[in-house]
């Protein structure tokens, strides 16, 4: 009988370090040339900036009603039309064509440690505001952090992060814990533009932070990125199987491990080997998509869903364990071919929830 994800903690892990013990905002070491940032922004301002969209397991949301526009420099598949930060999908993050026109922005991105995911120029127009919200799942315990480089701002533009007013200046570099409540408003005379970066957490990333910050966070409770361990086509084929995915494993955007939400129930799924990797598909979609074909993905233009590939890519991180393409180790599945089981794991720092379902090999 399929089971929901269960708490796999002992009492000691319930007393892990508080993920909010560190400051909500921390200035990072690099300083960038504000004039060069503004000059390259001028090159890109004539292009088609789209209104911001959020991302969930249902795909990209409707456009944000405020004058909050985005130009993607790095996105899933390098799609220049994407304004969301991405999520589980078929394609890895790649540079968009806009980055070719902005060599200084490209230089900045190349200077960062490996693990950069989305990179977006985000513009908040005059008179626009975004109400208090949380960006989830983000943070050191989730495996992804959000960084900001202000490009243009003014005295009337303010970010309120966890109750603290922040007016970051152009050329500075900031970490913000945007899993905490925050809002932003622009009451100035011109747009506020930030380069917003989503980055996987790694030991090298902590080199950008002030000395002692890593100890303040508590490294034992940090979810570090694990590198991909590539599989060849012959070995990939041995993982072809079918199983039931529990509903709460698909709840990508939950703010806490114990949060529940309305959404799809348990789903029949299949792992399908293709020339470019392994993919997790709904069983019905798998039946319609042949080797090398491209079926419908999770996200699109117009209706908020995008048809850009065959389900969700699986990235092997070793020992038959896979994370979701476009995601971190916050959520993995372990395919045990000998026991014919699949173990689903959802992590929050050092804590985790797991469950096992039977799987049916497909030869």
């Amino acid at each position: 009988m399929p089971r929901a994800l269960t708490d796999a903690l002992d009492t000691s892990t319930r007393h892990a370090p508080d993920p909010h013990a560190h400051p909500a905002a921390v200035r990072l070491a690099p300083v960038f040339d504000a004039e060069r940032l503004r000059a390259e922004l001028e090159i890109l301002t004539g292009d088609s900036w789209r209104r911001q969209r959020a991302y969930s397991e249902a795909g990209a949301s409707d456009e944000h009603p405020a004058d909050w526009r985005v130009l993607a420099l790095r996105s899933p598949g390098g799609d220049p039309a994407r304004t969301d930060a991405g999520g589980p999908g078929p394609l890895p993050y790649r540079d968009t064509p806009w980055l070719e026109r902005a060599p200084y922005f490209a230089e900045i991105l190349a200077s960062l440690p490996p693990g950069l995911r989305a990179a977006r120029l985000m513009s908040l127009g005059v008179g626009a505001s975004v109400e208090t919200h949380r960006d989830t799942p983000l943070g050191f315990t989730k495996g992804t952090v959000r960084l900001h480089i202000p490009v243009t701002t003014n005295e009337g533009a303010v970010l309120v992060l966890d109750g603290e007013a922040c007016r970051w200046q152009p050329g500075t570099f900031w970490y913000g814990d945007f899993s905490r409540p925050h809002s932003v408003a622009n009451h100035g005379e011109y747009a506020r533009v930030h380069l917003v970066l989503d980055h996987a957490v790694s030991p090298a990333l902590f080199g950008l932070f002030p000395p002692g910050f890593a100890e303040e966070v508590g490294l034992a409770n940090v979810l570090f990125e694990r590198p991909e361990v590539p599989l060849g086509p012959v070995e990939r084929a041995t993982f072809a199987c079918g199983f039931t995915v529990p509903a709460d494993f698909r709840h990508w955007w939950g703010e806490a491990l114990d949060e529940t939400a309305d959404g799809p129930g348990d789903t029949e799924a299949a792992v399908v080997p293709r020339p470019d990797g392994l993919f997790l598909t709904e069983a019905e979609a798998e039946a319609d998509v042949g080797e090398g074909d491209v079926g419908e993905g999770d996200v699109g233009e117009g209706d908020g869903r995008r048809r850009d590939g065959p389900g969700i890519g699986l990235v092997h991180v070793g020992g038959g364990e896979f994370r979701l393409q476009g995601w971190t180790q916050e959520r993995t599945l372990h395919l045990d071919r000998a026991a014919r089981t699949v173990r689903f794991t959802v992590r929050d720092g050092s804590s985790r929830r797991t469950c096992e379902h039977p799987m049916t090999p497909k030869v």
Side-chain angles (χ1 to χ4, degrees):
M1 175 70 67
R3 294 180 287 119
L5 290 164
T6 57
D7 197 342
L9 304 178
D10 59 32
T11 56
S12 63
T13 57
R14 296 183 189 276
H15 301 288
D18 180 359
H20 290 170
H22 62 276
V26 178
R27 184 168 176 176
L28 306 183
V31 177
F32 304 107
D33 188 324
E35 290 301 323
R36 292 182 68 186
L37 291 173
R38 278 193 289 268
E40 291 204 342
L41 178 63
E42 288 295 325
I43 295 173
L44 299 171
T45 51
D47 295 310
S48 178
W49 292 50
R50 295 169 179 246
R51 290 183 184 268
Q52 158 71 351
R53 287 181 171 185
Y55 186 92
S56 74
E57 67 193 33
S61 68
D62 293 336
E63 293 182 342
H64 198 280
D67 185 10
W68 193 19
R69 299 178 184 273
V70 177
L71 192 75
L73 302 183
R74 187 172 173 84
S75 69
D79 186 347
R82 294 287 290 261
T83 63
D84 59 288
L91 301 174
Y93 286 88
R94 299 189 181 104
D95 298 342
T96 73
W98 302 126
L99 195 59
E100 297 176 4
R101 301 178 57 189
Y104 187 52
F105 285 128
E107 179 183 323
I108 291 172
L109 300 191
S111 72
L112 300 175
L116 178 63
R117 300 178 67 207
R120 299 174 291 163
L121 286 167
M122 304 189 71
S123 173
L124 190 68
V126 174
S129 62
V130 179
E131 63 186 11
T132 300
H133 64 287
R134 298 173 185 258
D135 297 339
T136 59
L138 281 178
F140 292 105
T141 66
K142 301 295 187 181
T144 303
V145 294
R146 184 157 288 167
L147 313 175
H148 277 233
I149 301 174
V151 180
T152 63
T153 191
N154 60 77
E155 287 301 315
V158 60
L159 163 72
V160 178
L161 176 57
D162 203 23
E164 179 181 352
C166 303
R167 291 180 171 85
W168 300 335
Q169 295 305 300
T172 58
F173 195 14
W174 291 86
Y175 156 77
D177 184 355
F178 293 99
S179 69
R180 306 187 198 188
H182 62 281
S183 62
V184 61
N186 183 8
H187 302 298
E189 298 179 352
Y190 50 90
R192 167 199 184 266
V193 181
H194 282 201
L195 176 58
V196 179
L197 311 172
D198 286 358
H199 206 292
V201 180
S202 67
L205 187 69
F206 277 101
L208 302 177
F209 287 79
F213 180 78
E215 289 73 19
E216 192 174 352
V217 170
L219 294 181
N221 206 39
V222 172
L223 193 61
F224 286 105
E225 177 87 332
R226 291 164 62 188
E228 179 178 6
V229 180
L231 301 174
V234 174
E235 192 169 9
R236 284 202 301 264
T238 67
F239 284 97
C241 60
F243 47 80
T244 301
V245 179
D248 42 358
F249 185 78
R250 297 181 58 184
H251 182 36
W252 317 130
W253 73 95
E255 290 188 11
L257 282 172
D258 59 357
E259 180 179 343
T260 58
D262 294 335
D266 291 356
T267 304
E268 295 300 317
V271 172
V272 182
R274 302 193 186 283
D276 53 344
L278 287 170
F279 293 87
L280 180 65
T281 72
E282 292 189 6
E284 295 82 359
E286 185 269 336
D288 296 332
V289 182
E291 179 76 17
D293 293 339
V294 175
E296 290 193 355
D298 292 324
V299 193
E301 287 291 330
D303 60 357
R305 301 181 67 81
R306 185 184 189 79
R307 295 164 182 82
D308 58 0
I312 297 173
L314 295 178
V315 180
H316 183 237
V317 294
E321 187 174 11
F322 299 82
R323 64 173 171 84
L324 307 176
Q325 185 67 265
W327 214 243
T328 69
Q329 278 67 240
E330 185 265 347
R331 200 163 297 242
T332 62
L333 57 159
H334 175 254
L335 302 176
D336 189 332
R337 293 164 293 178
R340 296 193 173 189
T341 60
V342 54
R343 180 185 302 114
F344 300 92
T345 302
V346 177
R347 296 175 176 84
D348 186 11
S350 58
S351 66
R352 66 187 63 195
R353 291 188 301 154
T354 64
C355 73
E356 287 189 358
H357 286 189
M359 73 178 190
T360 303
K362 295 190 176 183
V363 180

